């Protein structure tokens, strides 16, 4: 749910790969402003995350069961359109945004770090961290990341603290540092 000033934008992703976004003014009036029909090759729409751009643009990032990640822009006029697409090589299970970095938790137990450029365009060469819990890492079903803001005093590299939950019940807490 995202508040636009004209109402709330509510979205739902479905197991058939469809995605629907409504504008709801808070009363009974609900209007579909975007609908992506189901396609067998997309897999389920597994996770969605709203983010705000540098000029207060609102973006929706959606992850699908076929490994596809798509960014959408919500215009000030209340329309939605796809902006950028990326394939991460494994079923997307969860997303976390920290600044311009998208953390993508995948079914293969790996995390993809995807820089999000201006206008919610993806860097098409995501950084892959193959596993979080060794070579037999379980599917990552939840991910949370925050930037370690204290790290800027000691280094020009960005550092993040990250927590993941696995489908086997495992929980991992670790740090990620930007490469030189």
């Amino acid at each position: 749910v995202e508040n636009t000033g004209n109402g709330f934008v509510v979205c739902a992703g479905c197991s058939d790969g469809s995605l629907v976004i409504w504008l709801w003014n808070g009363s009974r009036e609900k209007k579909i402003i975007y609908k992506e029909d189901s396609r067998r090759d997309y897999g389920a729409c597994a996770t969605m995350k709203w983010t705000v751009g540098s000029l207060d643009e609102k973006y929706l990032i959606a992850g699908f069961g076929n490994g596809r990640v798509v960014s959408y822009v919500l215009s000030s006029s209340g329309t939605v359109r796809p902006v950028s697409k990326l394939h991460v090589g494994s079923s997307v299970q969860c997303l976390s945004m920290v600044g311009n970095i998208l953390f993508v938790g995948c079914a293969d137990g790996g995390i993809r770090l995807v820089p999000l450029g201006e206008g919610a365009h993806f860097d098409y060469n995501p950084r892959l961290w193959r596993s979080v819990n060794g070579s037999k890492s379980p599917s990552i079903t939840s991910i949370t990341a925050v930037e370690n803001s204290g790290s800027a005093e000691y280094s020009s590299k960005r550092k993040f603290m990250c927590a993941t939950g696995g489908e086997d019940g495992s929980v991992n807490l670790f740090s990620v540092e930007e490469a030189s």
Side-chain angles (χ1 to χ4, degrees):
V1 175
E2 184 66 29
N3 188 345
T4 66
N6 297 325
F8 294 92
V9 177
V10 181
C11 56
C14 301
S15 63
D16 66 359
S18 61
L19 173 70
V20 181
I21 304 173
W22 296 268
L23 180 60
W24 185 15
N25 70 4
S27 65
R28 294 182 183 256
E29 187 178 333
K30 300 173 201 88
K31 176 183 168 188
I32 293 176
I33 58 175
Y34 183 81
K35 183 174 183 183
E36 189 164 299
D37 292 328
S38 67
R39 290 181 52 184
R40 284 193 325 223
D41 58 332
Y42 282 6
C45 181
T47 183
M48 295 173 285
K49 190 70 69 176
W50 285 101
T51 188
V52 178
S54 61
L55 300 174
D56 289 334
E57 313 91 348
K58 293 178 175 33
Y59 299 102
L60 176 67
I61 312 295
F64 293 84
N66 71 343
R68 190 173 60 108
V69 181
V70 181
S71 64
Y72 303 85
V73 63
L74 171 64
S75 73
S76 58
S77 65
T79 61
V80 175
R81 67 177 174 78
V83 175
S84 189
K85 297 177 183 177
L86 173 70
H87 196 276
V88 296
S90 179
S91 178
V92 177
Q93 303 293 319
C94 50
L95 302 169
S96 183
M97 281 292 303
V98 182
N100 69 329
I101 303 292
L102 178 65
F103 289 74
V104 181
C106 297
D108 67 0
I111 297 174
R112 278 55 169 189
L113 287 90
V114 181
L116 196 61
E118 195 61 40
H121 288 275
F122 295 124
D123 177 338
Y124 288 95
N125 189 18
R127 292 163 187 91
L128 167 63
W129 189 355
R130 292 223 178 266
S131 67
V132 172
N133 196 18
S135 63
K136 296 182 181 178
S137 189
S139 176
I140 296 173
T141 56
S142 66
I143 187 168
T144 302
V146 295
E147 189 160 5
N148 184 352
S149 58
S151 67
E153 301 171 24
Y154 308 106
S155 171
S156 61
K157 299 176 188 178
R158 293 173 71 188
K159 294 181 183 177
F160 304 91
M161 294 181 294
C162 192
T164 61
E167 76 178 344
D168 66 351
S170 62
V171 176
N172 287 287
L173 181 62
F174 53 93
S175 62
V176 177
E177 183 176 309
E178 192 173 41
S180 305

